[in-house]
Amino acid sequence: MIGDWLDIGPVDQIAPGNARTLPVRGGPDNEAGEIAVFHTLDNQFYALVNKCPHKQGPLSQGIVHGTVVTCPLHNWNISLKTGEALGDDKGCVPTIPLRVDAGRIYLLREAVVRKAA
Amino acid sequence: MNAPATFKSTGTGTSERLPERLVVIGNGMAGCRAVEEILERDPTRYAITIFGAEPRVNYNRIMLSPVLAGEKSFDEIVINDAAWYADNAITLVSGDPVVSIDRVTQTVIAKSGRVEPYDKLLIATGSDPFIIPVPGKDLPGVVTFRDLDDVDKMLAAAEGGGSAVVIGGGLLGLEAAHGLSLRGMAVTVIHLMPTLMERQLDEAAGWLLKEELERRGQVILTGADTAEIVGTDGHVSGIRLKGGREIAAAIVVMAVGIRPATALAKAAGLDVERGIMVDDHMVTSDPDVLAVGECVQHRGACYGLVAPLWDMCRALADHATGAPSGYEGSVTSTKLKVSGIDVFSAGDFSGGDGAEDIVMRDAARGVYKRVIVKDDKLVGAVLYGDTADGNWYFDLLKNNEDISDIREALIFGQAFASGGALLDPNAAVAALSDNAEVCGCNGVSKGKVVGCILGGAHSLDAVRSACKASASCGSCTPLVESLLSLTLGGEVESGPKTLCKCTSFGHDDVRRLILEKQLKAIPQVMQALHWTTPDGCHSCRPALNYYLLCAWPGVYVDEQHSRFVNERMHANIQKDGTYSVVPRMWGGLTNPRELRAIADVVEKYDAPMVKVTGGQRLDIFGIKKEDLPSVWRDLNAAGMVSGHAYGKSLRTVKTCVGSEWCRFGTQDSTGLGVQIERMTWGSWMPHKFKIAVSGCPRNCAEATIKDFGVVCVDSGYELHVGGNGGIKVRATDLLCKVETEAEAMEHCAAFIQLYREDAWYLERTAPWLERKGLEWIKASLFDDPATVARLAAKFRYSQQFMQDDPWAKRAAGEDAELHQHLAEVRPLELTS
Ligand code: SRM
Ligand SMILES: Cc1cc2nc3c(=O)[nH]c(=O)nc-3n(C[C@H](O)[C@H](O)[C@H](O)COP(=O)(O)OP(=O)(O)OC[C@H]3O[C@@H](n4cnc5c(N)ncnc54)[C@H](O)[C@@H]3O)c2cc1C
Ligand code: SF4
Ligand code: FES
């Protein structure tokens, strides 16, 4: 049976202060997308579509501080909680609902399909 | 089944109501508390039988830690003794666990075969310790920490002395480690995550805790994963970590977490997810079966602390005695029961949007306090070293109180905030007497600070240099700032730029204090220098990482997640998220083997472009992060290493053909360039650093727009510094002239080391030189004739730790997770 939540493995596969990626192939339009899953220094987990609202920079490669990731391409600061660009920059990237349960990370299946594809 | 027929006590038609039969599975904290609550409301309603797997009366499980530590005896932690059961006509069946529940016949069956009918059943089976599935987990001497039997096993092991390993650096593990070390064992704690108690503490507090435990003699290994528990003669003798390290141990305590004990309920067909599903009245999917404690899941949450159990038990008793009230879930707080270490945490400390961190650090007292405020409400708190206000914060949090009135003083605690007197910090400072001490580190009084200000020190920085106040740890900075504005009104001058918004110190002060105070880790710098944020920002983390690396070569361990992506991936990120790869070509020289390897890589990985760079080497574009390790492996095989085209580090040494071929060449510029590159490659710098060696003043290698340039002349070598060809072109200044290659190398190393030790992070040599002046640079290098040799030696010393190719390690599999995706979602899984 496939539940509403997609198990993407144990929490310890992402070191704190880092992010890793989850490619999603073949959504409705058969497009490929990528989700970035973040582990903050405070041990919170967040998932965003891996595209900066500025010029599609891979957010997974940015520096994580607090609940913010700084995009590696032009230093926009993106909130991990809302996907919103912070400060003077305007833009927003979709967030993927995530929960951690018994040491494993789950993403909301429908968000993975809808948003990343 | 030969179980007695059930009978329902209701509807017998007689006026005399027989008590209903309540059977409780679990003689632990929740089960007994629920019974107490029911008895308090209606002592005659139920005939009660309690089954307990443990062969003893009900005791306070959380006090097992003090029992292990020798601070309490078992008798002192008993909650209900045998007399209580007798007085309340409760049948206690201890040491006989229930093995099944038959909901049709409404009976439970115990291991002994005893069958007990019920009208209402209460499941309070608590949790089972989680055992990590490694080889050797079943060896004698591997224990968990859950009940008195476990404590007895640990005490028996401690009798024999020797060493113990505790797997798990959470609350339970640390309490076990503390107890065992008080009992005289040498304890090593193995923790998978990089900081202790990561679920309750942030990085800063977790780090302080680790330091304190280490000071007490425990060995704390974070980021350590157990591969195997090893045994000798059928008993545990130690553990082996992934990576091979072995640690001897007479006992291994596994404290890696708990799982709700749901097996009985599941077998009986009740709804179970992570825990036994209950509603707000603690009723399971069967109306006659209740459940309470750690074994339940209520509104999606499972709890591992006692406070929620008390609320659950109240709601349960209200329901069971016909006056339902309902339980709505709990907010929890945590304390660690290790004597002399005060740690408190509550609520959500993930920060985030609209949430503001207020941080106070007092390095001298070892205090770190952080409260998180959102929409004028307190949403979380982490306290280390001074937890006196923990309960006050917890109340504000639970009651959702509006804190806008006390916000300014919130971090100073209840006494301060509710006193109101100090809400205007300036008023409080004005009220201080002249001889009140302002700066504890340097013993400076208020009078002295005011004197300095009146004497012309009109900025924080000026005060710092005039009387040293706030120049050491910085905790009195707000006081000094208040004094400035009180004394000068609006005339306060802003000081030089601070390192970033997280600190009041500038780059120079931070660098100086790292050395003076022997600070050797990022969280330590943040604590000692009173950072105002919990874990810094994208500006200060990379800067501190560099400063520590430069200050403590061979000691400081580079913090990868504090580096910009290029330095983490050892390649340059491109606009489409792929990477470019530039292998080193020493002095711009290459050969058929290298060229072939590059050609092969371009073809094999389908690189869309390969280009000659402005730095005399080849750049391969469009490589995916997953392919980087194999690209590097192929390049390594041809003898090529990383070109650090991505780093705040030595980039290239450009050369020209020189005396070997060129009709004007005066010296072997190519050879010298190669030697210099061999000496300097791999070094981390405040910013990128470029070198060139030209064979004559025609300067074909453009040495006079490099950070360090050599122009060869007949009589020797002219050394030029501080050039830049980038955004703002700056031609070099002549530093000096030397006669031999060896001297040129020595001066190059010394100049680099001076730059490394003095410049601010992200300051290239050109702006650095303009800021300090050429005279200062010359004086620093040449006033004392021993300096050049001393600095060059320091540079070479630190180079021995830097010159191993980062690509080779990655190619061999290090940090593989940085390159691999987590998993891949494919269409098949999406169709649901
Ligand atoms: C590849 C290369 C261009 C080329 O195709 O030739 C290049 C490419 C980049 N340069 Fe450069 N620079 C390259 C030679 C230069 C040169 C010429 C030289 O070194 O002789 C200069 C002027 C000389 C100098 O640095 O003083 C140069 C001045 C800059 C600057 C301005 C620096 C400054 O202090 O003003 C930047 C921006 C920065 O570093 O902040 C920059 C930044 C960059 C970055 C790293 C931009 C970025 O952040 O992504 C480019 C990376 C592309 C990549 O993925 O490889 N690049 N860049 C050259 C690589 C040289 C090498 O082999 O390592
Ligand atoms: C060493 C230690 C220190 C702790 N410190 C703290 C602390 O400082 N603060 C805090 O809030 N919490 C602390 N806790 C957690 C706290 O003890 C638990 O949250 C609490 O005990 C849970 O109560 P419970 O009744 O659900 O489970 P338990 O107290 O574990 O009771 C369950 C009982 O059910 C019995 N049982 C299980 N299955 C059966 C069966 N089939 N038949 C019969 N009996 C069965 C078990 O043997 C056990 O006695 C600590 C726990 C430990 C182990
Ligand atoms: S000059 Fe500009 S565009 Fe060209 S490589 Fe350098 S940074 Fe990129
Ligand atoms: S693409 Fe992210 S800041 Fe430009």
Side-chain angles (χ1 to χ4, degrees):
Chain A
M1 199 193 77
I2 299 179
D4 294 341
W5 294 88
L6 193 66
D7 181 344
I8 57 165
V11 291
D12 59 27
Q13 60 189 341
I14 313 176
N18 280 294
R20 293 186 65 188
T21 44
L22 180 78
V24 179
R25 308 230 185 273
D29 314 325
N30 214 25
E31 259 184 65
E34 211 166 77
I35 291 174
V37 186
F38 296 86
H39 184 176
T40 71
L41 291 171
D42 273 355
N43 290 289
Q44 313 291 319
F45 290 84
Y46 298 97
L48 301 177
V49 168
N50 195 20
K51 275 186 186 171
C52 177
H54 180 217
K55 293 192 172 169
Q56 282 78 54
L59 296 172
S60 60
Q61 309 299 86
I63 292 185
V64 178
H65 46 102
T67 46
V68 176
V69 60
T70 302
C71 176
L73 292 195
H74 317 99
N75 287 338
W76 277 29
N77 283 312
I78 310 296
S79 160
L80 296 176
K81 287 192 159 179
T82 62
E84 213 79 61
L86 303 173
D88 295 333
D89 300 316
K90 294 276 166 292
C92 189
V93 54
T95 58
I96 314 292
L98 174 154
R99 61 173 206 168
V100 173
D101 192 353
R104 296 187 76 83
I105 305 171
Y106 297 82
L107 299 181
L108 188 64
R109 185 176 294 271
E110 60 179 45
V112 173
V113 184
R114 177 169 47 79
K115 290 186 172 159
Chain B
M1 187 160 294
N2 58 356
T6 45
F7 82 106
K8 291 259 179 191
S9 59
T10 45
T12 51
T14 65
S15 60
E16 188 165 335
R17 204 182 58 165
L18 282 172
E20 290 176 69
R21 290 163 307 181
L22 171 66
V23 170
V24 182
I25 309 178
N27 187 34
M29 300 198 67
C32 285
R33 178 59 165 249
V35 168
E36 286 175 18
E37 294 272 350
I38 290 173
L39 291 174
E40 212 171 82
R41 285 167 181 68
D42 190 346
T44 57
R45 180 162 183 146
Y46 292 102
I48 301 172
T49 304
I50 305 179
F51 282 87
E54 293 183 65
R56 54 186 72 92
V57 292
N58 166 235
Y59 61 94
N60 189 346
R61 190 171 311 285
I62 76 177
M63 290 313 214
L64 285 176
S65 301
V67 170
L68 176 65
E71 291 156 359
K72 286 237 174 343
S73 68
F74 179 71
D75 289 341
E76 290 175 272
I77 72 165
V78 167
I79 301 178
N80 293 307
D81 58 13
W84 176 79
Y85 294 90
D87 293 348
N88 291 293
I90 298 167
T91 310
L92 171 64
V93 187
S94 62
D96 191 9
V98 170
V99 291
S100 73
I101 301 169
D102 186 337
R103 292 198 289 130
V104 179
T105 58
Q106 294 206 303
T107 51
V108 300
I109 299 126
K111 192 170 176 199
S112 64
R114 177 175 181 143
V115 175
E116 194 74 33
Y118 68 81
D119 298 308
K120 285 270 185 251
L121 179 66
L122 171 58
I123 305 179
T125 44
S127 299
D128 298 321
F130 182 62
I131 311 277
I132 46 172
V134 289
K137 68 180 166 51
D138 300 319
L139 282 170
V142 178
V143 300
T144 56
F145 190 15
R146 183 71 196 173
D147 61 26
L148 187 67
D149 297 334
D150 296 329
V151 173
D152 286 341
K153 282 183 211 156
M154 284 190 246
L155 292 180
E159 294 269 286
S163 42
V165 162
V166 175
I167 305 178
L171 271 178
L172 218 53
L174 295 181
E175 290 183 8
H178 173 65
L180 288 169
S181 71
L182 283 188
R183 297 280 182 175
M185 298 194 89
V187 181
T188 303
V189 177
I190 310 290
H191 191 54
L192 189 60
M193 290 300 187
T195 53
L196 294 176
M197 282 177 66
E198 76 284 348
R199 300 231 309 273
Q200 293 88 11
L201 300 181
D202 58 15
E203 189 195 24
W207 183 84
L208 286 169
L209 176 60
K210 175 165 181 264
E211 256 211 332
E212 175 58 32
L213 293 173
E214 285 169 343
R215 207 165 15 242
R216 292 173 175 214
Q218 294 180 26
V219 176
I220 312 278
L221 301 179
T222 50
D225 201 357
T226 310
E228 186 184 351
I229 297 176
V230 284
T232 313
D233 302 333
H235 188 276
V236 69
S237 61
I239 65 152
R240 182 160 56 247
L241 298 177
K242 285 190 183 148
R245 178 164 174 192
E246 289 205 22
I247 301 160
I251 185 164
V252 171
V253 182
M254 244 201 246
V256 291
I258 50 170
R259 293 263 162 98
T262 58
L264 268 184
K266 208 181 249 170
L270 296 169
D271 283 355
V272 172
E273 275 184 7
R274 242 182 328 152
I276 305 169
M277 307 286 279
V278 292
D279 67 10
D280 287 358
H281 307 285
M282 316 314 292
V283 179
T284 67
S285 54
D286 176 340
D288 289 324
V289 181
L290 310 170
V292 73
E294 278 183 351
C295 60
V296 308
Q297 178 176 337
H298 171 262
R299 296 194 187 178
C302 294
Y303 297 95
L305 293 169
V306 292
L309 313 186
W310 308 151
D311 295 333
M312 289 181 191
C313 288
R314 268 192 291 276
L316 176 131
D318 287 341
H319 166 79
T321 54
S325 55
Y327 165 68
E328 297 182 338
S330 305
V331 191
T332 55
S333 69
T334 312
K335 274 188 177 167
L336 181 69
K337 300 192 297 300
V338 168
S339 35
I341 301 186
D342 295 321
V343 183
F344 172 91
S345 105
D348 172 12
F349 51 87
S350 64
D353 306 311
E356 194 194 327
D357 284 310
I358 308 175
V359 174
M360 198 199 84
R361 303 178 189 248
D362 184 342
R365 290 196 303 136
V367 170
Y368 168 77
K369 291 177 164 192
R370 173 179 173 205
V371 297
I372 299 95
V373 172
K374 186 171 183 177
D375 300 331
D376 291 331
K377 303 274 164 60
L378 186 73
V379 296
V382 182
L383 309 178
Y384 184 92
D386 177 358
T387 52
D389 286 306
N391 291 335
W392 180 63
Y393 289 130
F394 190 45
D395 274 348
L396 291 176
L397 194 148
K398 271 192 305 192
N399 302 336
N400 235 336
E401 273 181 51
D402 189 317
I403 50 91
S404 45
D405 287 346
I406 52 170
R407 188 193 180 94
E408 298 296 307
L410 190 63
I411 191 74
F412 301 109
Q414 183 172 22
F416 216 84
S418 33
L422 300 181
L423 278 187
D424 174 3
N426 280 350
V429 175
L432 290 175
S433 71
D434 265 0
N435 46 24
E437 188 170 84
V438 167
C439 171
C441 299
N442 297 301
V444 189
S445 66
K446 174 184 165 188
K448 194 157 174 207
V449 174
V450 173
C452 282
I453 298 172
L454 293 174
H458 288 186
S459 69
L460 181 61
D461 215 54
V463 172
R464 281 179 180 165
S465 53
C467 66
K468 287 256 179 296
S470 123
S472 292
C473 80
S475 65
C476 61
T477 304
L479 276 178
V480 175
E481 283 171 338
S482 284
L483 286 174
L484 276 163
S485 63
L486 280 170
T487 317
L488 299 173
E491 314 280 289
V492 185
E493 291 160 16
S494 52
K497 241 178 60 186
T498 61
L499 194 152
C500 69
K501 64 177 181 3
C502 307
T503 174
S504 66
F505 284 113
H507 289 265
D508 289 334
D509 288 329
V510 171
R511 298 202 75 165
R512 173 178 56 81
L513 290 165
I514 283 175
L515 293 170
E516 267 177 35
K517 293 176 175 285
Q518 303 259 316
L519 307 176
K520 295 187 176 161
I522 289 180
Q524 193 184 13
V525 175
M526 291 182 175
Q527 176 69 11
L529 305 188
H530 298 91
W531 241 241
T532 58
T533 50
D535 55 20
C537 68
H538 76 281
S539 302
C540 58
R541 287 198 80 99
L544 292 179
N545 191 54
Y546 168 71
Y547 291 156
L548 289 166
L549 206 61
C550 176
W552 313 114
V555 174
Y556 176 68
V557 183
D558 202 329
E559 223 183 77
Q560 287 290 302
H561 62 261
S562 293
R563 284 182 174 272
F564 180 66
V565 55
N566 287 358
E567 296 185 349
R568 227 179 312 137
M569 300 301 284
H570 298 290
N572 294 62
I573 195 163
Q574 305 294 312
K575 60 191 277 192
D576 64 355
T578 63
Y579 290 84
S580 73
V581 172
V582 185
R584 203 164 278 291
M585 287 180 169
W586 307 96
L589 295 176
T590 186
N591 56 44
R593 184 171 174 230
E594 290 180 355
L595 291 172
R596 228 173 254 126
I598 291 175
D600 286 345
V601 161
V602 171
E603 282 181 355
K604 181 165 163 193
Y605 300 93
D606 226 357
M609 179 164 102
V610 54
K611 169 177 190 308
V612 180
T613 73
Q616 298 187 337
R617 46 208 190 153
L618 291 168
D619 194 346
I620 310 164
F621 286 88
I623 303 291
K624 293 195 213 61
K625 73 172 185 222
E626 306 88 282
D627 287 335
L628 286 171
S630 16
V631 166
W632 295 333
R633 197 173 309 124
D634 292 358
L635 295 171
N636 279 168
M640 279 184 280
V641 298
S642 166
H644 292 84
Y646 46 80
K648 307 299 172 220
S649 57
L650 186 270
R651 294 287 175 92
T652 64
V653 179
K654 259 169 102 158
T655 65
C656 70
V657 282
S659 58
E660 218 177 322
W661 297 91
C662 177
R663 62 202 166 108
F664 296 113
T666 62
Q667 312 280 354
D668 178 12
S669 53
T670 328
L672 178 57
V674 173
Q675 282 187 64
I676 291 180
E677 190 160 355
R678 294 259 179 216
M679 172 180 78
T680 53
W681 78 280
S683 57
W684 295 109
M685 313 262 195
H687 204 307
K688 59 187 179 191
F689 196 97
K690 300 177 176 180
I691 300 178
V693 186
S694 286
C696 82
R698 288 169 192 77
N699 194 11
C700 296
E702 300 162 327
T704 49
I705 50 161
K706 294 289 175 262
D707 297 276
F708 186 86
V710 183
V711 177
C712 304
V713 288
D714 281 327
S715 54
Y717 306 83
E718 286 175 8
L719 307 183
H720 298 261
V721 294
N724 195 326
I727 303 165
K728 187 161 168 271
V729 181
R730 182 182 195 279
T732 45
D733 289 304
L734 179 65
L735 181 69
C736 64
K737 208 184 125 189
V738 297
E739 281 169 18
T740 64
E741 279 192 350
E743 285 171 288
M745 303 266 293
E746 189 84 342
H747 282 73
C748 175
F751 175 76
I752 290 180
Q753 187 63 13
L754 184 66
Y755 169 62
R756 295 182 76 226
E757 290 180 11
D758 189 78
W760 298 342
Y761 190 64
L762 295 188
E763 185 178 42
R764 269 190 84 173
T765 56
W768 172 64
L769 193 148
E770 305 244 303
R771 178 166 67 83
K772 305 293 281 196
L774 181 65
E775 290 319 306
W776 179 87
I777 302 224
K778 282 188 172 170
S780 304
L781 287 172
F782 304 132
D783 274 3
D784 173 357
T787 306
V788 169
R790 184 180 59 81
L791 285 174
K794 271 179 99 175
F795 179 69
R796 284 197 210 91
Y797 175 77
S798 75
Q799 279 298 82
Q800 66 180 326
F801 306 104
M802 302 319 316
Q803 290 194 325
D804 47 10
D805 179 25
W807 287 357
K809 293 185 211 152
R810 293 285 171 90
E814 194 181 272
D815 295 324
E817 73 284 353
L818 290 179
H819 299 278
Q820 289 157 4
H821 295 301
L822 276 173
E824 192 168 312
V825 182
R826 289 176 178 284
L828 188 63
E829 293 173 284
L830 296 174
T831 56
S832 73

